Amino acid sequence: MEPYRILVVDDSVFMRKIITDLIEEDPNFRVVAVAKNGAEAVVKTQELKPHAVTMDIEMPEMNGLEALERIMAATPTPVIMLSSLTMSGAVETIRALELGAIDFIRKPSGSISLDLFKVKQLLHEKLRIAVKTRMQPQPRIEPAKRPERFVQPSAPFVRPSAAEIPKRTAAATQETGKPASGVGTGSSKGFRDLVAIGTSTGGPRALQKVLSGLPADFPAPVLIVQHMPPNFTKSLSQRLNDQCAVRVVEAEEAQVLEPGTAYVAPGGLHMTVVRADDKKYRISLSKSEPVSGHRPSVDKLFQSLLPLKELTRHAVIMTGMGSDGARTIGELRKDGAATTIAESEETCVVYGMPRVAVENGAAMFVLPLGDIAPKLVERVTDKNGSR
């Protein structure tokens, strides 16, 4: 079998050399060309038709985001972005994922052998996914128009004293080793439904599509696990908040759940839901061991919903590699969850997590991405009589 053909794009000669060497340590990949800016990348992608592209973001003449947008419009090709770990790098990376990039890795430092080894492992793993991804032209997802009342948060979070935090929440704080922050102290608005969503590769774009389809007065909290490092989940939540009618935040320890709000699990922390001593439903964050290699884990979130039988539970599993969430979404279905949805193969960037859920019989509904939000609105709002 011929090696998969890879195009490397970076304005640094040194970095092009490092990335090329790392890629070609796996005999399944061969770098067929390099490009020093986005303009060259667009031309070489059209001429060479590589199986995948690695793309830097900051480059002269044409940056990686503009090049990515042109590639996806003219010659849809799997692209892996090289991102810095800075906050600005995270913002740009989230934008790249919206434009159709398959995934991202952090740029190697080039100085520490252990760092290069970790980057090489991740790069090979993501390339193996990328070269097998069937790319289609990426239609632009139009964001929902945000109601004026959501331009500014209606009620900023207040940091309570340790004595004010319910006992169960204080215990969770000890587990994470972090002080509680961003905790709502006002009475939680009533809700009877709870939605939980799990996703991985291809998830940011899928989340944008689903959340932008929910109305501002959606009568349930939405809990989200997206496999992503710290900083990037913060940028993801801010970006989604700007684009969607529902409010979107990065979850914080002991935060009170409210309807019409989506909570994104912070990178590097498990997120679960607990019913605290004050009878409010709160976020609990934990640095406990990864589950199936993931922290945050979809399985961990879904499992925390099992004891909450007094709520009407709805679970969704979308595009992503592996099987995280597939087992516990099945447990939720057996436990009486009202809705379990798996994204269908036709719209998944990677048909992994949803495929396992479907094969296990865990999904009541197997839906293309565009139908997931309408189904959630139908299942949650109809019986509430709110719409």
Side-chain angles (χ1 to χ4, degrees):
M1 177 180 167
E2 288 292 317
Y4 292 105
R5 294 173 290 108
I6 312 300
L7 172 65
V8 172
V9 186
D10 200 293
D11 63 323
S12 163
V13 175
F14 176 66
M15 195 57 65
R16 291 198 298 270
K17 172 63 173 170
I18 286 180
I19 296 165
T20 297
D21 289 346
L22 291 177
I23 290 172
E24 292 190 335
E25 284 193 36
D26 187 325
N28 291 309
F29 304 118
R30 178 167 61 91
V31 175
V32 292
V34 297
K36 64 178 180 294
N37 57 50
E40 284 189 8
V42 172
V43 172
K44 290 187 178 183
T45 301
Q46 292 174 348
E47 291 178 347
L48 301 173
K49 303 293 191 296
H51 291 101
V53 177
T54 68
M55 180 85 71
D56 190 20
I57 293 178
E58 291 297 330
M59 295 181 290
E61 193 170 333
M62 181 187 292
N63 66 32
L65 294 180
E66 186 177 350
L68 174 65
E69 193 164 16
R70 294 192 182 192
I71 288 170
M72 290 304 165
T75 318
T77 305
V79 176
I80 297 172
M81 305 303 294
L82 298 180
S83 173
S84 70
L85 288 180
T86 64
M87 186 55 71
S88 63
V91 171
E92 292 167 333
T93 300
I94 297 303
R95 177 63 181 146
L97 295 173
E98 289 176 5
L99 291 172
I102 292 295
D103 212 330
F104 68 95
I105 61 167
R106 63 186 181 86
K107 293 193 76 167
S109 66
S111 58
I112 304 174
S113 59
L114 180 60
D115 176 74
L116 288 176
F117 177 73
K118 290 179 179 178
V119 171
K120 179 182 72 174
Q121 283 186 312
L122 277 174
L123 182 56
H124 289 168
E125 174 188 321
K126 294 181 188 298
L127 279 173
R128 283 191 287 271
I129 295 171
V131 296
K132 295 178 181 178
T133 302
R134 295 174 297 178
M135 297 299 296
Q136 298 175 352
Q138 298 288 338
R140 187 175 183 85
I141 298 176
E142 296 299 333
K145 185 177 181 181
R146 291 183 60 79
E148 188 173 341
R149 60 181 169 161
F150 281 95
V151 172
Q152 296 292 332
S154 57
F157 292 122
V158 179
R159 295 176 185 270
S161 66
E164 292 175 315
I165 302 175
K167 294 178 182 178
R168 173 63 185 85
T169 303
T173 300
Q174 292 175 359
E175 183 181 358
T176 55
K178 295 173 63 180
S181 64
V183 183
T185 56
S187 61
S188 177
K189 296 176 183 177
F191 56 86
R192 293 178 290 175
D193 294 72
L194 188 64
V195 175
I197 299 175
T199 188
S200 187
T201 307
R205 186 175 176 86
L207 287 169
Q208 181 188 8
K209 180 69 173 177
V210 171
L211 294 182
S212 64
L214 301 181
D217 59 350
F218 189 64
V222 180
L223 297 142
I224 297 166
V225 165
Q226 161 70 55
H227 296 156
M228 192 171 274
N231 287 347
F232 293 92
T233 48
K234 181 76 169 179
S235 295
L236 174 64
S237 60
Q238 290 173 342
R239 180 73 175 171
L240 290 171
N241 187 58
D242 290 340
Q243 296 170 322
C244 302
V246 293
R247 182 168 173 255
V248 185
V249 298
E250 184 180 53
E252 298 188 37
E253 176 63 27
Q255 200 166 8
V256 176
L257 296 187
E258 304 216 345
T261 302
Y263 304 83
V264 178
L269 293 173
H270 289 307
M271 179 175 73
T272 57
V273 182
V274 296
R275 192 179 187 193
D277 290 350
D278 60 0
K279 308 303 181 187
K280 297 173 186 174
Y281 297 96
R282 293 179 180 263
I283 297 288
S284 177
L285 301 178
S286 167
K287 283 187 177 178
S288 59
E289 289 300 309
V291 176
S292 301
H294 299 293
R295 191 175 63 207
S297 161
V298 183
D299 274 323
K300 195 84 169 177
L301 171 62
F302 285 178
Q303 190 171 40
S304 74
L305 272 56
L306 289 169
L308 308 180
K309 300 179 190 295
E310 68 279 8
L311 293 176
T312 304
R313 297 157 296 176
H314 310 266
V316 182
I317 194 162
M318 303 194 301
T319 176
M321 187 72 175
S323 61
D324 190 23
R327 174 180 59 82
T328 43
I329 197 172
E331 292 177 11
L332 280 168
R333 180 172 186 177
K334 291 176 183 176
D335 194 55
T339 310
T340 57
I341 298 173
E343 183 182 353
S344 60
E345 183 175 8
E346 65 194 87
T347 57
C348 280
V349 172
V350 179
Y351 190 54
M353 292 156 54
R355 176 184 59 78
V356 178
V358 171
E359 290 176 350
N360 291 347
M364 298 177 189
F365 304 97
V366 181
L367 302 173
L369 184 60
D371 292 346
I372 292 176
K375 178 59 69 174
L376 286 173
V377 171
E378 171 196 320
R379 301 287 287 182
V380 172
T381 62
D382 279 2
K383 64 181 178 51
N384 279 287
S386 59
R387 294 184 68 80

